[in-house]
Each structure stands twice: as structure tokens, then as C-alpha cells.
């Protein structure tokens, strides 16, 4: 049987070309019309250490990394030994016989290709190794080399000598696969319909969405896995007349973003957990002074410096609760690269409309993975701007006017009659701070009321899976695709399962969650963290008990892991006896 | 400078909020000098933003009719930087205490100075924490007895002028609350200066650290022939001075951050989402 979906994993020494091979192959496959989904992990060090890259390529949408590995490319012995046990039955091993001596195995089809020797001896171009491997993969699976050639041509457009050697390397690999070996595996990337698609990373999507939402000020401090957002904004904002700045620390970053927002610009900062910790005092100021501001937190494994290049969804508590005192905030999390593009726009809209901090959660796997997506339907983009005072309102301006929605018209420097002091102190409608006790009683509900509007604006949550499900899966953030895949698999094998994936985490869309939980017998909450932060949050608000599924090894879920849990719950119910009612 | 047809007077810059400072507090003179400087420059109230941190001195924005930000303890500089970058042609002043700017917010000061954003920063130095009632500040003297240093301050005081000179401030001056006329002149010069200006104001705390008689006797003007362009000399004086010197210590020209940033692109275009996304095809 021919298979036109392949999970390819490349592993070897960091800096050896593992990531670039994966990237080029992925781009080429996507240009040929395939759907792609990647995952990369590399050591925190710049050179050396163990790196691996995985791409799942399919003729139909691929929602996760998939289970196991169909094709393993071992760049060195360590790459082989670390991953060989993951190769699926009937899978493929590609290795260099000069560096790896694989064990005899009847269940794996092995192709030895001396790519080091080819690069060094035949081509006299050692750095061509990654393209030899890329070409070999293309040849083996029947991918048109022209799609790859185009990519290489644009990469080396201005370096003619390098372009020639790289193209030679690509075709050397391609010919090795098509002429020198006998194909014994069942994997083919046969031509599929070419639908124009985009291939981009989560961080690319966040930056693009922010720009589309009207963000014109950015300040940040470099931190993995969020730095690319700072880099992109620094490149793009000046072209739009905006400003992007690398500043001295994360406190300055959020402070400048808040200052620029007070000054009239839509503003954002982006960081990871350690930076969000530093920003927490400002979250309260931003909410108290009702100043819009978007804060991206691309989570990585903690606590403390933790594992900077590894995945964990463990900043939820922090995003929901960081900062002293009681204050409303928006917290959102995106489910996929495409979702990140649209949801960051939602985050801006809610932050601007309701004048409060919007924390947008990504994570290492989402920020750094590339996915293919259809060209977004730009008519879906709706951009919201903050409420400005009318000429009439400016005659007796009340910056913090108590309104039904809670949001008040916000002036900006330059507006005559609109002057006010943005306070961190409790204040009255005019922003005066001399009667805090009376003001506090009035202003707390005014500020919190805004959450009701935010909740309504997000519309209804839509479920995925069986209409008559008995098992529900509720997740958040970057696990959306892998959960959907597991749910589809479970339904295909006779279970009745549905998934719900809220994107707005503060305020929670309680009614929709309630309805979903009431419609099923058991609820599973998968999250990539140790303690089950979202499960606890759901229990605290909805009162139901849920079955936790936690993974904390720094890597994403595979669909099989979630599927297994679904089967287990289907078989035994909730073994701990705390079925959710 | 943007001027309006009607002449603005000191009164126009006063808000209806009355200062809550203790009688004789040095910050009153700073406030009056601010009113006067803004009136001298005829700046329209809606085109001025006063950004402060937290402390007695940081209450100042509430007493002006301009725009203002009362931010967090130590965070006035980043906030003001954001305000200014969003509004490059408005006047943004950063005002606060020695604790705000040289203890909790000290990390921002050298960066603000080195960026040379066009901000006018006024540090009201009373060598004590006023608002929290008499603990040591980073500029308290060695041996100074305060509530938190009952046996005397052990640390060498931070030298604000030396710090900002070393970091690259392009206008550095010192004033004294007991000399209000000079104070207003320094503020005018600082606001007019294109770049990061820092004005250190000796602003005694009558409640917890009344140093008026000491500074009345000690403070001296810079010599009439003082060369404002000599950085080494200014730093030398900051290191060695025994009596505090008042006046403009140093002034130079360097490209200003907001202008540099806003001149990066010759042609500014609106964002075209679909054109932007083409790079990912
Ligand atoms: C994060 C934080 N820590 C501590 C405080 C308490 N606090 C308020 S003002 C202040 C120091 C005030 O001294 P200074 O900045 O010199 O201003 P002054 O009151 O003397 O004008 C302190 C420690 C605070 N508001 N925030
Ligand atoms: S405590 Fe000191 S600094 Fe504060 S208002 Fe009173 S005199 Fe001024």
C-alpha cells in the first residue's frame, strides 16, 4: 500500500544541518501542495548538543506531529541511538554507513547513503551535506526537485558560487535515491493539487496578526522562544511609521508599551515566562489605569530558567493570576499557527475595546513550529479601535466615566480638553485620587463589568467531534490539533468523543463550557504541564471533577497518547472515582 | 515649539488639585518652576505630558493641568519613553525622587540617557524616602541616621550627576529648591534641549531630612566661565566636588532617538496584510 503521509524525523549534532535540511524539505513539500506540520528542538547551546527536527507531510491537513516516526534520518550515531526505538513498523532508516552501524532489524527498511563522503570527496563541498540529504529524501519519495531548486535559488540569489555548489549537492542526493538504490519502502509523495498555501511559524503568525490588528509600537527584551517576534517587529514597524525597540529589561518593555498606548498607539510586548514574572506589577497598573496593552507570553518549560528550548504549558496560573490586587484581564491562547494569526487580532481588539491587559499565550512548540495554512480570508479580519471622546464629552471630560459596558472614552495627548493623569491609585470618574474609598466601591465593578462584554464578543465555542459524545476532551493552547486528531481516531474506532478548545481563558466562556460538560459523562483535560493548571481552573469555576492527562517531558503530546487516555476512560470511567459530577 | 494665540500664564498650568506636601517641602518650588517654565515656553497644556513614579515628589502630575502619568515606583522613565516615542513632537517631562530614579528604577537611568530620547528628567533629591516616612535613600550620606539605618548609612551614596554623565546624557544640570528663579531657567533650558536632559534638584524634605540650612551655606554657582562642553571636566567635578555646584554642568548634541527611529524609512506605507503574507507562500 502506498502511503502519502509521512512523518520524517532528522536528528544529529546541533549546527550540523539537521534544522536546515528539515526546513528546506518542508518548504519544498508545501510548495508541491502538501500540508506540513513541524516540530523542532535544539539544545540551549549555540553549537553542539543534540538537535532534532520533525516534519509530518500529508496530502490532507495534518494536525499534529503524529505518532512515532516513519522515516528516521540519523546524521550521527547519537541521532540513531536516541530515536531508533520510535521508528514505526515498516518504517525507514536513512543513515551514513561511515558514522552509523545500525542493528539488524526485520521491521525497518534501511538505506545507507554515504552523504559525508559524497560531500567531501565527490563534491568537495562539506557544507552540502544537508542538501544531499534533502535531495535524497525528494528522490526517494518522488518530490519534484524543481520545487526545492527554486527555494535554494532564492536563498543563495546573491552568492553565485555557493548557489552552484548547493544545487549540485541537491541533485547528487536526488540521483543517489533515484539511480543508485532500489526503493523498498511504501512511502510516496505523489503529486497533489497545488492550492496556494502559506507556510509560517507561530511567531511569524503572531507578528503578522499584530501588524494587521494595527500594532504600531513594540518593545521587548530577547528571550527564547519569543525573540523572533521582537526581530520581526523591529524590521517591519519602521516601514509603517511605527516604533520597535529592544530595551533594558522586561519591566521597561511593558512600561514603554503602556506609555506608548497612553500616547495613542496600539502597543505590544512579547516575552516568555521569566519576562512575564518581571512584568507582573505592570499588569495591575495597565488594568487600573485602563490602558490597552497586549503581552505575548511564549511559554517554555520552567520553573525559573527551566528548559528554555523545551515545551511546557505552565504559565497559565501566572497569566491568570499574576499581579497583586483584584483586576480584570484578558487571557487568550491560540491553538495553531493559523489560529495565532486571527487570535492575536482578537487579543488586540479586546484589549483596545475594554482597555485592559491582554495576555496572549503561545508556547515553544507553537512559536517555533511551521504549519501550512490556506491564505487567510482577510474579510474575516475585523479591527477594533479604542473609544475616543466626542467633542461634546471633551467639554467636561471624565476619563473614567462609569458606563454600562464599563469602558470609557479614552483621550490621548494632543486632544484639547482631554488631559488627565493615568493613575495607579484608585480614582474617581475624572481620575482624581482624593476620595479612594468611595471611588473603589464604584470603580471595581465598573472595571470588572468589561469582562462580560469581552466574553460576549468572542461568540460561541464550537465543538469538534461526535454530537452524541459521552467523553469530552477540553484543552487549551497549542494542543488543539493533536486533540482533534485523537478525537477523530477515537470516533473512527467506535467511541463517542467530542473536543472543546476555548481560546479565551479569562474571562472563561462559562455557559458554553457548562453545556459541553453537561452533555458528556467524562471530561479529559490534557495539558503539557505537571500539575494540571487548566484542570484546576475548570474545577474551581465549574465545580466538576475532570480527568487530568499531564505530560511534562518538554515535548508535545502525540495523538496516540491522548487516544490511549480516551480508550482508558471509555473502558474504566474515571478510575479515581471522581466522575465529574 | 507650538504656541497658541492666547498667552498662557502660570495659572493655566495649575490643576484644581491642591498639593498635599508638608509645609516647606522642596517639591513646591519644583512645581512652581515647572508652571513657570511651561508658561515661559507657551506650551499648550494638551501638548505636555508629565510622567512620574511613586513617592511624595512623584505626586506632581496631579497638580498640573497637562496630561500626566502616575506610574509605578521606579518606572517613570520607560513609561515616558513610550509616551514620547508615540508623540515625538510633544513635551514629555519625567519627574520623581531619588529613590524612584536611583534605587528601584536605577536600571532604567543609564539606558534612558544613552538612548538620548528627548525627555526632560527632573530628580527631586531629598536624600531620604519621604513617602514611606524616613528610610535611607541611595543618595543618603554615609553615617546618616534614618529609621531603617539606626546605626548610620554604610553605603557610599550614588552620585546622580556622575551616573548620567557617564551614561551619555546630553544635558546635565543641578538646581536647588531654595533658588526658584534658577530652577525655572534650568527647566526651560532642559525642555529646549533636544535630547535626554537631566536636572538634579536638591529638594529638601522638611519633615524627615531638613537640609535647607546646610545647602544654603554650601551650594555655590558654577563659575561664570564654566565650559559646558567639557565632559571630562564635568565628570571630574562630579567626583571631587565638596560643595554642590548649581547650574548647567554639561550640554552637547547627539542624534535624538525618536528622530533617528522616525527617519529610518523614507516612505511610510500603510500595512497591506495580503502583500505582507506573500513572503510565506
Ligand atoms: C515596588 C514598590 N516598592 C516599594 C514601594 C513603597 N515606596 C513608595 S515611595 C518609596 C520611596 C520614596 O522615595 P523617593 O523616591 O526618594 O521619593 P520621595 O517620597 O522622597 O519624594 C517607596 C519605597 C512601592 N510603592 N512600590
Ligand atoms: S515627607 Fe518630606 S518629601 Fe514628603 S511631602 Fe513631606 S517634606 Fe516633602
Amino acid at each position: 500500500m502506498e502511503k502519502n503521509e509521512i512523518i520524517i524525523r532528522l536528528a544529529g549534532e546541533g549546527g550540523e544541518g539537521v534544522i536546515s535540511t528539515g526546513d528546506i524539505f518542508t518548504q519544498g513539500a508545501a510548495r508541491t501542495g502538501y500540508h506540513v506540520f513541524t516540530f523542532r528542538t535544539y539544545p540551549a547551546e549555540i553549537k553542539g548538543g543534540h538537535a532534532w527536527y520533525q516534519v509530518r507531510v500529508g496530502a490532507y491537513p495534518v494536525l499534529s506531529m503524529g505518532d512515532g516516526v516513519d522515516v528516521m534520518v540519523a546524521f550521527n550515531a547519537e541521532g540513531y541511538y536516541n530515536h531508533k526505538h520510535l521508528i514505526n513498523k515498516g518504517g525507514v532508516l536513512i543513515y551514513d554507513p561511515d558514522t552509523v552501524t545500525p542493528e539488524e532489524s526485520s521491521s525497518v527498511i534501511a538505506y545507507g547513503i554515504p552523504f559525508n563522503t559524497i560531500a567531501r570527496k565527490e563534491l568537495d563541498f562539506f557544507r552540502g551535506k544537508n542538501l544531499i540529504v534533502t535531495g535524497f529524501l525528494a528522490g526517494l519519495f518522488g518530490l519534484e526537485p524543481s520545487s526545492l531548486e527554486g527555494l535554494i535559488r532564492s536563498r543563495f540569489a546573491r552568492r553565485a558560487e555557493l548557489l552552484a555548489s548547493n544545487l549540485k549537492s541537491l541533485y547528487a542526493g536526488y540521483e543517489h535515491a533515484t539511480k543508485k538504490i532500489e526503493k523498498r519502502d511504501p512511502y510516496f509523495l505523489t503529486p497533489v493539487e497545488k492550492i496556494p498555501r502559506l507556510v509560517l511559524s507561530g511567531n511569524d503568525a503572531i507578528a503578522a496578526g499584530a501588524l494587521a490588528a494595527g500594532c504600531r509600537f513594540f518593545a521587548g527584551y530577547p528571550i527564547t522562544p519569543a525573540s523572533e517576534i521582537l526581530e520581526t517587529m523591529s524590521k517591519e514597524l519602521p516601514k509603517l511609521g511605527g516604533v520597535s525597540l529592544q530595551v533594558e529589561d522586561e519591566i521597561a518593555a511593558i512600561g514603554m508599551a503602556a506609555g506608548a498606548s497612553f500616547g495613542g498607539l496600539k502597543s505590544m510586548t512579547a516575552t516568555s515566562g521569566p519576562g512575564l514574572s518581571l512584568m507582573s506589577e505592570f499588569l495591575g497598573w495597565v488594568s487600573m489605569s485602563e490602558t490597552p496593552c497586549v503581552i505575548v507570553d511564549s511559554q517554555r518549560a520552567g520553573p525559573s530558567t527551566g528548559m528554555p528550548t523545551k515545551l511546557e504549558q505552565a504559565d497559565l496560573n501566572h497569566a491568570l493570576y499574576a499581579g497583586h490586587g483584584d483586576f480584570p484581564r484578558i487571557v487568550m491562547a491560540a491553538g495553531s499557527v493559523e489560529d495565532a494569526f486571527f487570535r492575536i487580532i482578537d487579543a488586540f481588539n479586546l484589549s483596545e475595546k475594554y482597555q485592559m491587559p491582554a495576555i496572549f499565550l503561545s508556547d515553544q512548540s507553537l512559536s517555533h513550529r511551521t504549519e501550512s495554512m490556506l491564505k487567510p480570508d482577510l474579510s474575516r479580519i475585523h479591527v477594533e479601535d479604542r473609544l475616543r471622546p466626542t467633542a461634546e464629552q471633551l467639554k467636561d471630560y471624565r476619563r473614567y466615566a462609569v458606563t454600562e459596558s464599563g469602558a470609557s472614552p479614552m483621550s490621548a495627548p494632543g486632544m484639547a480638553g482631554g488631559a488627565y493623569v493615568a493613575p495607579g491609585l484608585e480614582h474617581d470618574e475624572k481620575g482624581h485620587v482624593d476620595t479612594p474609598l468611595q471611588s473603589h466601591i464604584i470603580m471595581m465593578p465598573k472595571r470588572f463589568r468589561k469582562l462580560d462584554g469581552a466574553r460576549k464578543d468572542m461568540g460561541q465555542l464550537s465543538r469538534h467531534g461526535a454530537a452524541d459524545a459521552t467523553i469530552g476532551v477540553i484543552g487549551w493552547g497549542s494542543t488543539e490539533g493533536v486533540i482533534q486528531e485523537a478525537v477523530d481516531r477515537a470516533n473512527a474506532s467506535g467511541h463517542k468523543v467530542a473536543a472543546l478548545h476555548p481560546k479565551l481563558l479569562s474571562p472563561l466562556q462559562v455557559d458554553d463550557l457548562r453545556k459541553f460538560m453537561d452533555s458528556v459523562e467524562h471530561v479529559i483535560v490534557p495539558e503539557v504541564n505537571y500539575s494540571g493548571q487548566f484542570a484546576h481552573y475548570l474545577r474551581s469555576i465549574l465545580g466538576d471533577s475532570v480527568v487530568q492527562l499531564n505530560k511534562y517531558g518538554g515535548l508535545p503530546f502525540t495523538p496516540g497518547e491522548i487516544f490511549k487516555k480516551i480508550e482508558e476512560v471509555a473502558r474504566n470511567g474515571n478510575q479515581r472515582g471522581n466522575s465529574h459530577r | 515649539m507650538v504656541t497658541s494665540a492666547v498667552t498662557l500664564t502660570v495659572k493655566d498650568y495649575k490643576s484644581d488639585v491642591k498639593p498635599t506636601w508638608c509645609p516647606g517641602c522642596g517639591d513646591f518650588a519644583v512645581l512652581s518652576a515647572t508652571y513657570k517654565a511651561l508658561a515661559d515656553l507657551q506650551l499648550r497644556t494638551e501638548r505636555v505630558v508629565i510622567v512620574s513614579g511613586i513617592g511624595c515628589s512623584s505626586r506632581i502630575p496631579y497638580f498640573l493641568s497637562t496630561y500626566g502619568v502616575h506610574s509605578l515606583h521606579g518606572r517613570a522613565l520607560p513609561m515616558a519613553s513610550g509616551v514620547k516615542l508615540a508623540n515625538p513632537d510633544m513635551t514629555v517631562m519625567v519627574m520623581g525622587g531619588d529613590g524612584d530614579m536611583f534605587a528601584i528604577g536605577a536600571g532604567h537611568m543609564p539606558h534612558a540617557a544613552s538612548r538620548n530620547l528627548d525627555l526632560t528628567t527632573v530628580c527631586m533629591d531629598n536624600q531620604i524616602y519621604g513617602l514611606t516616612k524616613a528610610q535611607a535613600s541611595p543618595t543618603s550620606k554615609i553615617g546618616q541616621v534614618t529609621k531603617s539605618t539606626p546605626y548610620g548609612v554604610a553605603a557610599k551614596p550614588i552620585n546622580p550627576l556622575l551616573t548620567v554623565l557617564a551614561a551619555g546624557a546630553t544635558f546635565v544640570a543641578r538646581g536647588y529648591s531654595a533658588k526658584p528663579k534658577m530652577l525655572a531657567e534650568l527647566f526651560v533650558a532642559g525642555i529646549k534641549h533636544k535630547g535626554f536632559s537631566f536636572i538634579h534638584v536638591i529638594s529638601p524634605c522638611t519633615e524627615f531630612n531638613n537640609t535647607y540650612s546646610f545647602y544654603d551655606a554650601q551650594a555655590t554657582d558654577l563659575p561664570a566661565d564654566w565650559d559646558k562642553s567639557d565632559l571630562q571636566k564635568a565628570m571630574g567635578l562630579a567626583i571631587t566636588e565638596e560643595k554642590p555646584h548649581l547650574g548647567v554642568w554639561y550640554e552637547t548634541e547627539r542624534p535624538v532617538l525618536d528622530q533617528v527611529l522616525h527617519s529610518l524609512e523614507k516612505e511610510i506605507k500603510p500595512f497591506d496584510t495580503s502583500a505582507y503574507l506573500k513572503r510565506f507562500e
Side-chain angles (χ1 to χ4, degrees):
Chain A
M1 193 180 68
E2 284 191 9
K3 295 184 178 172
N4 59 357
E5 185 217 302
I6 316 180
I7 300 167
I8 303 172
R9 185 177 291 196
L10 307 113
E13 180 97 0
E16 211 184 8
V18 172
I19 306 282
S20 66
T21 306
D23 267 339
I24 297 171
F25 184 80
T26 300
Q27 292 279 346
R31 285 193 170 196
T32 319
Y34 276 87
H35 296 263
V36 294
F37 186 109
T38 74
F39 178 79
R40 65 189 68 198
T41 177
Y42 47 87
E45 303 79 32
I46 301 304
K47 279 263 182 256
H50 187 66
W52 60 270
Y53 184 104
Q54 180 163 316
V55 56
R56 186 173 177 202
V57 186
Y60 41 80
V62 282
L63 299 176
S64 74
M65 301 169 62
D67 285 301
V69 172
D70 297 322
V71 175
M72 174 70 220
V73 184
F75 274 72
N76 62 13
E78 192 189 11
Y80 172 68
Y81 283 106
N82 280 352
H83 303 271
K84 67 175 167 64
H85 62 284
L86 292 170
I87 304 176
N88 292 329
K89 207 156 175 269
V92 174
L93 169 70
I94 296 165
Y95 66 101
D96 184 339
D98 294 336
T99 55
V100 179
T101 316
E103 294 155 10
E104 283 290 324
S105 163
S106 56
S107 71
V108 170
I109 300 151
Y111 300 113
I113 149 169
F115 42 80
N116 285 294
T117 309
I118 299 176
R120 226 189 289 270
K121 301 246 169 75
E122 283 180 31
L123 303 172
D124 193 22
F125 182 58
F126 187 61
R127 273 185 297 162
K129 196 165 70 168
N130 56 346
L131 283 171
I132 297 172
V133 176
T134 311
F136 183 85
L137 292 171
L140 188 62
F141 304 126
L143 204 64
E144 300 165 31
S146 60
S147 59
L148 297 163
E149 184 177 327
L151 285 166
I152 295 163
R153 282 191 184 279
S154 56
R155 269 197 192 198
F156 296 100
R158 262 167 273 158
R159 311 215 316 263
E161 20 24 289
L162 273 182
L163 173 64
S165 319
N166 277 300
L167 285 178
K168 243 165 122 189
S169 310
L170 177 77
Y171 282 102
Y174 186 78
E175 272 167 24
H176 198 94
T178 49
K179 298 199 177 131
K180 300 204 177 142
I181 62 147
E182 185 201 332
K183 185 170 169 78
R184 287 168 280 137
D185 66 83
Y187 297 99
F188 285 97
L189 294 177
T190 42
V192 288
E193 194 191 346
K194 273 191 208 176
I195 297 167
R197 286 204 190 87
L198 307 178
V199 181
L200 68 169
S201 73
N203 280 349
D204 288 334
I206 290 169
L211 293 169
C215 176
R216 292 297 175 270
F217 185 91
F218 183 91
Y221 188 79
I223 186 166
T224 305
S227 299
E228 295 82 10
I229 301 173
L230 162 67
E231 290 158 13
T232 304
M233 297 307 265
S234 299
K235 187 149 181 236
E236 301 304 327
L237 274 176
K239 301 181 197 169
L240 306 170
V243 171
S244 174
L245 213 57
Q246 176 178 334
V247 297
E248 60 269 25
D249 57 33
E250 287 86 350
I251 301 176
I254 188 171
M256 278 201 203
S261 177
F262 170 86
L265 297 183
K266 289 191 182 179
S267 306
M268 178 169 92
T269 178
T271 186
S272 187
L276 187 63
S277 290
L278 289 185
M279 291 178 183
S280 45
E281 191 187 7
F282 252 117
L283 295 177
W285 187 89
V286 166
S287 195
M288 180 62 142
S289 65
E290 306 196 42
T291 307
C293 185
V294 175
I295 301 112
V296 176
D297 171 16
S298 180
Q299 305 162 92
R300 63 192 214 182
S304 191
T305 310
M307 301 190 285
T309 58
K310 299 289 181 280
L311 165 66
E312 209 158 79
Q313 298 179 289
D315 292 354
L316 178 66
N317 285 346
H318 198 52
L320 291 172
Y321 306 115
H324 57 281
D326 244 356
F327 61 87
R329 71 188 81 199
I330 302 293
V331 177
M332 295 192 68
S336 66
V337 170
E338 179 174 10
D339 197 40
F341 175 78
F342 287 107
R343 298 301 175 172
I344 189 81
I345 299 174
D346 290 342
F348 268 97
N349 288 347
L350 294 179
S351 179
E352 290 289 323
K353 188 168 172 190
Y354 298 106
Q355 303 174 21
M356 62 172 78
I359 302 171
F360 185 83
L361 295 170
S362 176
D363 60 43
Q364 186 272 336
S365 81
L366 177 57
S367 279
H368 280 171
R369 80 182 175 220
T370 42
E371 282 181 53
S372 44
M373 63 184 256
L374 283 176
K375 278 193 185 176
D377 173 6
L378 299 184
S379 69
R380 263 180 72 192
I381 297 179
H382 159 75
V383 169
E384 191 88 41
D385 291 314
R386 61 186 75 163
L387 201 60
R388 291 296 191 195
T390 60
E392 192 53 37
Q393 286 166 332
L394 283 173
K395 283 185 192 150
D396 178 30
Y397 183 52
R398 290 171 301 143
R399 165 66 185 95
Y400 298 104
V402 174
T403 61
E404 210 177 300
S405 73
S408 328
M410 180 176 179
S411 62
M415 282 184 192
Y420 73 102
V421 177
L425 287 167
E426 189 57 280
H427 49 269
D428 63 16
E429 285 191 313
K430 289 213 153 195
H432 291 170
V433 299
D434 40 7
T435 52
L437 282 180
Q438 289 99 301
S439 300
H440 200 56
I441 304 291
I442 295 164
M443 288 295 161
M444 285 304 267
K446 172 217 187 288
R447 288 188 290 263
F448 271 96
R449 198 153 63 228
K450 297 186 286 185
L451 291 176
D452 300 335
R455 190 186 281 118
K456 278 197 204 100
D457 287 358
M458 285 297 287
Q460 266 190 339
L461 279 171
S462 55
R463 52 192 266 161
H464 174 95
D468 55 347
T470 53
I471 295 175
V473 184
I474 306 181
W476 65 282
S478 67
T479 52
E480 182 172 28
V482 71
I483 290 175
Q484 289 187 354
E485 192 173 338
V487 165
D488 292 347
R489 195 181 296 177
N491 286 328
S493 56
H495 299 290
K496 290 202 159 84
V497 190
L500 200 70
H501 211 83
K503 308 300 164 71
L504 184 66
L505 304 177
S506 165
L508 216 46
Q509 286 150 291
V510 183
D511 293 347
D512 291 358
L513 280 157
R514 173 82 276 148
K515 219 188 294 160
F516 181 79
M517 289 177 105
D518 285 348
S519 75
V520 294
E521 283 163 28
H522 303 287
V523 171
I524 305 171
V525 180
E527 356 176 23
V528 186
N529 60 38
Y530 183 86
S531 66
Q533 298 187 357
F534 188 55
H536 286 299
Y537 183 47
L538 283 178
R539 286 187 195 113
S540 76
I541 290 184
L542 290 148
D544 301 24
S545 86
V546 297
V547 182
Q548 286 181 213
L549 173 60
N550 297 93
K551 178 172 184 175
Y552 53 93
L555 296 178
F557 277 114
T558 62
E561 287 165 340
I562 296 170
F563 176 69
K564 204 173 124 219
K565 191 72 185 179
I566 293 171
E567 285 204 304
E568 197 182 299
V569 170
R571 210 169 34 241
N572 307 329
N574 182 345
Q575 282 183 318
R576 277 177 295 176
N578 59 340
S579 167
H580 80 278
R581 238 171 289 195
Chain B
M1 288 299 129
V2 183
T3 51
S4 66
V6 252
T7 310
L8 291 157
T9 64
V10 161
K11 197 169 89 282
D12 295 308
Y13 296 95
K14 289 189 178 173
S15 74
D16 48 11
V17 180
K18 292 281 154 285
T20 41
W21 292 315
C22 312
C25 174
D27 298 346
F28 280 107
V30 174
L31 178 61
S32 301
T34 310
Y35 294 145
K36 173 129 194 344
L38 296 176
D40 282 357
L41 292 166
Q42 289 293 295
L43 295 169
R44 294 214 310 258
T45 52
E46 71 272 17
R47 302 191 62 82
V48 176
V49 188
I50 312 285
V51 184
S52 70
I54 299 294
C56 293
S57 44
S58 284
R59 280 285 178 125
I60 201 161
Y62 293 110
F63 314 136
L64 285 111
S65 61
T66 63
Y67 278 84
V69 178
H70 185 216
S71 74
L72 293 171
H73 194 25
R75 312 304 165 202
L77 279 167
M79 287 220 77
S81 305
V83 174
K84 180 71 184 181
L85 287 165
N87 300 281
D89 52 0
M90 291 192 199
T91 300
V92 180
M93 295 182 78
V94 188
M95 308 187 81
D98 41 301
D100 205 72
M101 292 187 187
F102 289 98
I104 192 163
H108 304 303
M109 185 60 79
H111 300 280
S114 81
R115 276 193 286 264
N116 201 32
L117 191 61
D118 186 12
L119 298 171
T120 306
T121 301
V122 175
C123 177
M124 292 167 248
D125 188 354
N126 54 14
Q127 299 169 289
I128 195 86
Y129 280 11
L131 191 67
T132 45
K133 299 192 166 53
Q135 300 83 5
S137 106
T139 55
S140 294
K141 296 256 178 298
I142 291 183
Q144 188 173 322
V145 173
T146 74
K147 276 198 217 148
S148 61
T149 55
Y151 308 110
V153 167
K156 183 176 187 291
I158 298 273
N159 185 327
L161 291 192
L162 188 59
T163 304
V164 298
L165 284 166
T170 50
F171 178 99
V172 178
R174 181 188 280 140
Y176 175 29
S177 289
K179 301 209 165 188
K181 192 166 154 282
M182 180 199 238
L183 212 50
E185 285 162 11
L186 293 177
F187 289 1
V188 167
I191 294 169
K192 275 187 168 166
H193 173 79
K194 284 271 157 260
F196 186 78
S197 45
F198 180 83
I199 300 148
H200 183 228
V201 182
I202 298 166
S203 182
C205 168
T206 41
E207 190 73 12
F208 302 121
N209 190 30
N210 194 334
T211 50
Y212 276 118
S213 52
F214 174 82
Y215 285 111
D216 283 345
Q218 298 284 315
T220 89
D221 289 353
L222 282 168
D225 61 348
W226 178 255
D227 179 3
K228 288 190 296 190
S229 68
D230 192 335
L231 178 61
Q232 282 203 11
K233 214 164 148 213
M235 291 182 76
L237 181 66
I239 294 167
T240 55
E241 69 171 348
E242 279 161 8
K243 295 174 175 233
H245 289 77
L246 309 179
V248 179
W249 282 51
Y250 179 64
E251 181 162 18
T252 191
E253 294 256 331
R254 213 174 70 230
V256 176
L257 180 74
D258 42 314
Q259 283 170 1
V260 174
L261 291 177
H262 287 287
S263 67
L264 289 180
E265 285 293 321
K266 299 284 162 280
E267 194 193 349
I268 286 163
K269 293 197 198 99
F271 186 68
D272 179 342
T273 308
S274 116
Y276 181 83
L277 293 176
K278 278 213 168 6
R279 70 194 61 194
F280 303 116
E281 280 176 14

